[in-house]
């Protein structure tokens, strides 16, 4: 391999979504230099979609390149590129039947009796040149995350027991999703803990979890082999755990390749406490990236030993180099005569929005010291739970889609049936954004939830979970960067709305009371008058959102005139017997699509569940969100929250007491009913490691315990 060639990488895509098809076309195009040494595998149930006469199917992707991904308006110039490519190997784990679990059964015709999914991960008997997958990506609906993570957990535990994943001297294997909504890290904890074998003693090779805040592509496929990429999301932001410099470095290398950042000019930003200050963190990532760039571009390589970061695979060698670095730093700081006389490089560190130079305290190259040691932010949040929570609470599809559905079908029959005249309207079915979002009610609902009720939850939750002075969740409110700037300019940030409503203070007081009793006299009781006065002055009342009517109009206008979205049709079922002489038909919402299954259970229900944990009065403080969920669940025949006629006797447990709450990603579905429960849950390892249990076992076997 020449030095100009990209390093070897094996990427495994799991799922049969349009995102998988898009990546097959782009990454599978071997004529592109960036795809050299990149092995692409697909594991799917959709054999007819990704296999053509037993061979990997070739996909053609037509990409629309807008002048700006931030504002993709109709009047701006648009270019079209075509990508043609195919995966190197396709593995079918079962068939299109959702309940099929053939992938969990061993194949006696393969070495080690591996299942198809285990073959795809390990590369054993794979018809390609790749080895163990470097990165495993779930490109699928959010509603499929838990079931797929369970399959992956079963496969990984089996491969680990047979020592087929590699050793700790190898770089970690990344497992993640292109859309980290719906509590992706929560799902990983459930999947890996529930499937953990009784004889599991730890992973032979390191693992990492990642989740993107927003799906990077707006893509649609209307026929097998053809897919259209209508546009790319303007920002690429990702949460990664374990929260360490090396894991972020490794994730950056692999994801940059998958997301084609070298050709698009985009860059990956990391979420959580270690993110840059504009994203609510302490700037640790900025320092890491600057030092890595400086050292990788130097002629001497890492630490002047001529070793690149990717070359440091031996734990022993890495620790020796880190010790050398630590010694150099110590000598430089103390002014020891043994300190290097050469001029040390400058490290740029972030201080608010400015940068200052720190000189004369750094060794020739502190890269390994950064990669092997934790910053305070990483110690404070080792699993990057706040970064993943930012993805979970990303207010885009989970709010937009349900609100538009209610605006479009809410005025119809009880099941959402409305009339539509294709001849008169010019389209076979209503366009989801161009017709649905254009309705004034859509903008009103979205603004009330995304710019009001959602913000109450964001601010209160962050004050309870984040260290003082950092806001990795609320700094990224609102989804799109343009809308975020407008909301901040108008004084509608989560912090401002949380303060104006009094709900953040209410949540903080309730948390204090749950720990130490009620604030009041020496007996710990507060007067009834004080509680009544609080309830009358705190809550979601009209007028909290500045310029709410204007924002609602701008929201409807922006969504209905977005050139990337105007061709998307509504998820409908047509009543074939309803044709009238003038061409009018009857249609109702298709509740089996991800517009429902993803965004209701794994979007709005999470918001309501968290609000209930915080002690909000859902009927008062989350009334619009409740209205939308109740409307959608009626069409779906479900009960994710208690109906209005049952809520009066719920004692505030509108989410906890719902019949079908277990089908959602609300915290209550995980057995979490207060903030303390949530904190304890977020301390669990996402890959089923039992660090505390093993420490307790060692303690029980210790000499001191034997003397008791």
């Amino acid at each position: 391999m020449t030095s100009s060639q990209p390093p070897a990488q094996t990427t495994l895509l799991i799922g049969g979504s349009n995102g998988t098809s898009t990546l097959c076309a782009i990454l599978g195009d071997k004529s592109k230099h960036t795809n050299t040494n990149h092995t692409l595998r697909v594991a799917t149930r959709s054999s007819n979609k990704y296999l053509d006469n037993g061979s990997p199917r070739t996909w053609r992707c037509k990409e629309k390149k807008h002048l700006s991904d931030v504002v993709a308006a109709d009047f701006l110039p648009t270019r079209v590129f075509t990508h043609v490519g195919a995966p190197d190997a396709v593995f079918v784990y079962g068939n299109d039947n959702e309940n099929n679990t053939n992938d969990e059964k061993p194949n006696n015709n393969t070495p080690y009796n591996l299942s198809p999914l285990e073959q795809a991960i390990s590369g054993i008997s794979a018809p390609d040149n790749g080895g163990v997958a470097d990165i495993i990506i779930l490109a699928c609906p959010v509603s499929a995350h838990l079931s797929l993570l369970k399959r992956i957990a079963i496969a990984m535990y089996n491969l680990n027991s047979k020592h087929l994943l590699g050793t700790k001297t190898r770089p970690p294997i990344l497992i993640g999703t292109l859309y980290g909504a719906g509590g992706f890290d929560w799902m990983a904890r459930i999947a890996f803990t529930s499937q953990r074998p009784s004889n599991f003693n730890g992973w032979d090779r390191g693992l990492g979890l990642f989740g993107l805040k927003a799906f990077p592509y707006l893509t649609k496929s209307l026929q097998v082999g053809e897919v259209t990429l209508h546009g790319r999301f303007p920002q690429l932001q990702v949460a990664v755990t374990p929260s360490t410099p090396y894991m972020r470095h490794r994730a950056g290398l692999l994801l940059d390749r998958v997301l084609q950042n070298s050709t698009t000019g985009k860059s990956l930003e990391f979420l959580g406490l270690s993110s840059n200050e504009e994203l609510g963190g302490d700037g640790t990532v900025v320092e890491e990236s600057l030092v890595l760039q400086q050292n990788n571009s130097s002629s001497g390589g890492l630490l002047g030993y001529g070793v690149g970061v990717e070359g440091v695979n031996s734990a022993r060698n890495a620790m020796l180099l880190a010790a050398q670095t630590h010694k150099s730093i110590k000598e430089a700081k103390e002014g020891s005569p043994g300190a290097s006389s050469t001029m040390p490089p400058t490290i740029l560190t972030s201080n608010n929005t400015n940068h200052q130079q720190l000189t004369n305290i750094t060794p020739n190259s502190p890269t390994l010291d950064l990669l092997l040691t934790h910053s305070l932010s990483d110690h404070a949040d080792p699993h990057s739970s706040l970064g993943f929570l930012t993805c979970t609470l990303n207010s885009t599809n989970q709010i937009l889609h349900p609100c538009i559905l209610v605006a479009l079908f809410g005025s119809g029959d009880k099941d959402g049936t409305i009339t539509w005249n294709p001849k008169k309207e010019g389209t076979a079915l209503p366009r989801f954004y161009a017709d649905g979002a254009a309705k004034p009610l859509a903008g009103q609902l979205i603004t009330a939830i995304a710019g009001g009720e959602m913000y109450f939850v964001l601010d209160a939750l962050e004050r309870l979970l984040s260290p003082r002075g950092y806001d990795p969740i609320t700094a990224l409110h609102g989804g799109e960067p343009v809308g975020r700037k407008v909301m901040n300019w108008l004084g509608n940030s989560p912090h401002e709305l949380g303060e104006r409503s009094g709900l953040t203070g209410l949540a903080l007081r309730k948390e204090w009371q749950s720990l130490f009793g009620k604030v009041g006299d020496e007996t710990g009781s507060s007067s009834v008058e004080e509680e009544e006065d609080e309830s009358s002055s705190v809550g979601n009342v009209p007028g909290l959102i500045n310029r709410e009517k204007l924002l609602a109009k701008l929201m409807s206008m922006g969504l209905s005139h977005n050139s990337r979205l105007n061709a998307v049709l509504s998820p409908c079922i047509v009543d074939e017997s309803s044709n009238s002489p003038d061409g009018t038909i009857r249609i109702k919402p298709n509740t089996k699509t991800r517009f429902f299954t993803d965004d209701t259970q794994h979007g709005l229900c999470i918001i309501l569940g968290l609000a209930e944990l915080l002690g909000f009065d859902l009927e008062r403080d989350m009334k619009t969100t409740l209205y939308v969920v109740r409307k959608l669940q009626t069409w779906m025949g479900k009960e994710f929250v208690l109906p209005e006629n049952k809520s009066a006797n719920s004692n505030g447990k509108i989410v906890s007491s719902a019949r079908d709450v277990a089908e959602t990603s609300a915290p209550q579905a995980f057995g979490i009913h207060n903030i303390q429960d949530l904190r304890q849950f977020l301390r669990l390892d996402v890959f089923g490691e039992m660090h505390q249990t093993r420490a307790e076992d060692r303690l029980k076997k210790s000499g001191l315990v034997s003397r008791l």
Side-chain angles (χ1 to χ4, degrees):
M1 184 180 73
T2 64
S3 59
S4 62
Q5 289 182 321
Q9 176 174 327
T10 299
T11 298
L12 171 60
L13 305 176
I14 300 183
S17 69
N18 292 334
T20 301
S21 306
T22 300
L23 288 174
C24 283
I26 297 175
L27 301 180
D29 185 354
K30 300 304 181 182
S31 66
K32 296 180 180 177
H33 176 71
T34 54
N35 292 332
T36 305
N37 293 325
H38 193 177
T39 300
L40 182 66
R41 297 179 187 145
V42 171
T44 180
R45 290 182 295 108
S46 306
S47 57
N48 61 327
K49 190 173 181 181
Y50 291 96
L51 286 175
D52 184 10
N53 294 322
S55 299
R57 183 182 297 278
T58 298
W59 283 84
R60 180 182 295 272
C61 173
K62 183 174 70 174
E63 178 179 0
K64 296 180 179 179
K65 181 65 176 178
H66 303 277
L67 184 63
S68 169
D69 286 330
V70 177
V71 181
D74 293 323
F75 56 82
L76 295 176
T78 301
R79 294 172 293 164
V80 176
F81 296 90
T82 300
H83 310 275
V84 181
D88 295 285
V90 175
F91 300 82
V92 180
Y93 59 86
N95 55 32
D96 292 328
N97 180 2
E98 183 70 35
N99 297 320
N100 190 289
T101 56
N102 285 347
D103 59 305
E104 298 171 11
K105 298 178 181 179
N107 184 345
N108 296 327
N109 296 323
T110 63
Y112 304 101
N113 296 331
L114 301 182
S115 70
L117 186 56
E118 291 164 356
Q119 286 180 267
I121 295 172
S122 67
I124 294 175
S125 298
D128 56 50
N129 296 323
V132 178
D134 296 296
I135 182 169
I136 301 170
I137 300 176
L138 278 70
C140 61
V142 174
S143 55
H145 280 167
L146 182 57
S147 62
L148 284 180
L149 282 169
K150 175 186 172 184
R151 294 175 184 271
I152 292 172
I154 292 171
M156 295 293 287
Y157 280 126
N158 188 42
L159 292 170
N160 188 72
S161 68
K162 297 177 180 179
H163 308 293
L164 299 177
L165 293 176
T167 65
K168 291 188 182 297
T169 60
R170 297 284 307 281
I173 299 172
L174 270 290
I175 302 172
T177 176
L178 295 182
Y179 189 29
F184 183 71
D185 62 320
W186 302 359
M187 299 294 186
R189 288 178 172 89
I190 294 295
F192 278 86
T193 300
S194 65
Q195 302 304 313
R196 182 177 57 215
S198 59
N199 61 348
F200 176 70
N201 291 316
W203 295 102
D204 288 351
R205 183 175 177 181
L207 302 179
L209 192 78
F210 73 89
L212 266 66
K213 177 175 174 283
F215 193 73
Y217 311 115
L218 179 63
T219 182
K220 188 70 174 177
S221 176
L222 298 178
Q223 68 180 66
V224 174
E226 301 284 339
V227 62
T228 300
L229 177 54
H230 293 280
R232 299 179 185 239
F233 198 78
Q235 295 177 318
L236 297 176
Q237 296 164 335
V238 63
V240 177
T241 182
S243 185
T244 64
Y246 182 68
M247 191 61 73
R248 287 190 286 270
H249 166 72
R250 180 66 177 166
L253 289 176
L254 298 175
L255 286 172
D256 276 346
R257 190 95 173 264
V258 171
L259 300 172
Q260 314 102 53
N261 289 345
S262 63
T263 57
T264 64
K266 297 182 185 294
S267 60
L268 200 65
E269 296 180 297
F270 291 93
L271 302 172
L273 288 179
S274 58
S275 63
N276 67 53
E277 289 164 337
E278 292 182 353
L279 304 183
D282 68 354
T284 302
V285 168
V286 178
E287 299 173 18
E288 290 172 8
S289 62
L290 290 170
V291 173
L292 287 168
Q293 290 171 12
Q294 185 182 54
N295 285 278
N296 286 341
S297 63
S298 64
S299 60
L302 193 59
L303 290 177
Y305 291 92
V307 181
V309 173
E310 282 303 293
V312 185
N313 291 334
S314 166
R316 176 179 178 275
N317 290 341
M319 292 304 295
L320 287 174
L321 294 177
Q324 177 81 16
T325 304
H326 177 75
K327 180 181 178 181
S328 299
I329 291 178
K330 185 173 183 293
E331 290 174 345
K333 286 181 177 179
E334 296 176 353
S336 169
S340 174
S341 61
T342 59
M343 180 61 68
T346 298
I347 300 180
L348 296 179
T349 59
S350 175
N351 181 18
N352 294 328
T353 57
N354 302 317
H355 290 92
Q356 60 182 3
Q357 293 185 340
L358 300 180
T359 59
N360 299 324
I361 64 170
T362 58
N364 285 339
S365 181
T367 306
L368 272 181
D369 188 59
L370 281 172
L371 294 181
L372 294 172
T373 59
H374 283 198
S375 67
L376 286 177
S377 62
D378 292 332
H379 276 296
D381 190 13
H383 296 304
S384 193
S385 297
L386 296 176
F388 280 96
L389 198 55
T390 303
C391 299
T392 293
L393 297 175
N394 176 26
S395 55
T396 52
N397 292 346
Q398 302 99 314
I399 293 176
L400 300 182
H401 295 168
C403 291
I404 295 173
L405 285 168
V406 171
L408 190 58
F409 297 101
S411 60
D413 298 342
K414 187 176 181 179
D415 63 353
T417 298
I418 61 172
T419 58
W420 183 259
N421 192 314
K423 295 180 181 179
K424 179 180 177 182
E425 304 294 345
T427 58
L429 296 171
R431 294 169 298 173
F432 189 70
Y433 294 96
D435 295 315
K439 294 182 176 294
L441 179 59
Q444 294 165 12
L445 294 175
I446 293 170
T447 303
I449 296 176
E453 297 174 5
M454 179 80 167
Y455 284 10
F456 305 148
V457 175
L458 290 179
D459 188 50
L461 197 61
E462 184 147 74
R463 299 294 180 91
L464 286 165
L465 298 180
S466 293
R468 181 179 298 174
Y470 298 101
D471 53 358
I473 302 173
T474 56
L476 288 172
H477 67 85
E480 292 280 0
V482 174
R484 186 181 313 130
K485 292 180 183 298
V486 171
M487 293 296 283
N488 289 341
W489 181 66
L490 291 174
N492 289 328
S493 72
H495 290 323
E496 290 165 314
L497 282 168
E499 183 177 349
R500 286 205 295 269
S501 67
L503 288 173
T504 297
L506 172 66
L508 295 175
R509 285 193 295 275
K510 285 184 177 294
E511 177 66 3
W512 176 273
Q513 291 170 6
S514 70
L515 294 172
F516 306 108
K518 292 185 178 181
V519 179
D521 57 21
E522 294 181 357
T523 63
S525 62
S526 58
S527 66
V528 175
E529 290 80 6
E530 288 176 341
E531 293 183 355
E532 290 178 349
D533 181 65
E534 177 183 80
S535 63
S536 63
S537 61
V538 171
N540 182 9
V541 297
L544 280 179
I545 304 175
N546 296 333
R547 302 298 181 99
E548 183 173 0
K549 292 183 179 179
L550 174 62
L551 289 170
K553 290 181 180 179
L554 292 176
M555 179 65 70
S556 290
M557 183 181 302
L559 289 172
S560 59
H561 289 81
N562 190 308
S563 63
R564 293 180 296 180
L565 306 174
N566 58 17
V568 179
L569 297 179
S570 301
C572 300
I573 297 176
V574 179
D575 182 354
E576 299 295 345
S577 63
S578 64
N579 288 329
S580 63
D582 66 349
T584 299
I585 58 175
R586 289 173 59 82
I587 57 175
K588 66 178 181 179
N590 184 354
T591 60
K592 302 299 182 182
T593 63
R594 67 180 61 181
F595 287 83
F596 286 87
T597 57
D598 279 17
D599 302 324
T600 306
Q601 293 101 301
H602 307 290
L604 293 183
C605 287
I606 293 180
I607 300 172
L608 291 173
L610 289 170
E612 189 171 287
L613 294 190
L614 294 166
F616 293 179
D617 182 339
L618 299 193
E619 295 286 1
R620 177 195 66 189
D621 304 324
M622 310 295 292
K623 54 190 174 185
T624 306
T625 310
L626 266 183
Y627 166 75
V628 171
V629 171
R630 282 169 171 164
K631 179 72 74 172
L632 297 179
Q633 73 178 15
T634 298
W635 298 341
M636 300 172 73
K638 296 290 185 179
E639 186 184 280
F640 305 129
V641 298
L642 290 181
E644 190 172 5
N645 59 359
K646 294 183 180 179
S647 65
N649 300 321
S650 67
N651 195 26
K653 305 299 182 183
I654 293 177
V655 177
S656 301
S657 302
R659 183 189 68 218
D660 300 315
V661 67
E663 298 180 23
T664 75
S665 290
Q668 290 77 2
F670 296 82
I672 300 169
H673 297 281
N674 54 58
I675 295 298
Q676 291 303 314
D677 289 346
L678 182 61
R679 285 198 181 101
Q680 292 171 6
F681 177 67
L682 295 180
R683 293 191 187 107
L684 297 177
D685 187 87
V686 295
F687 293 118
E689 289 275 18
M690 300 174 290
H691 304 291
Q692 180 174 337
T693 301
R694 284 201 292 271
E696 290 175 353
D697 289 342
R698 287 194 297 269
L699 180 63
K700 292 174 183 177
K701 298 174 183 177
S702 67
L704 283 176
V705 171
S706 66
R707 292 169 51 190
L708 298 178

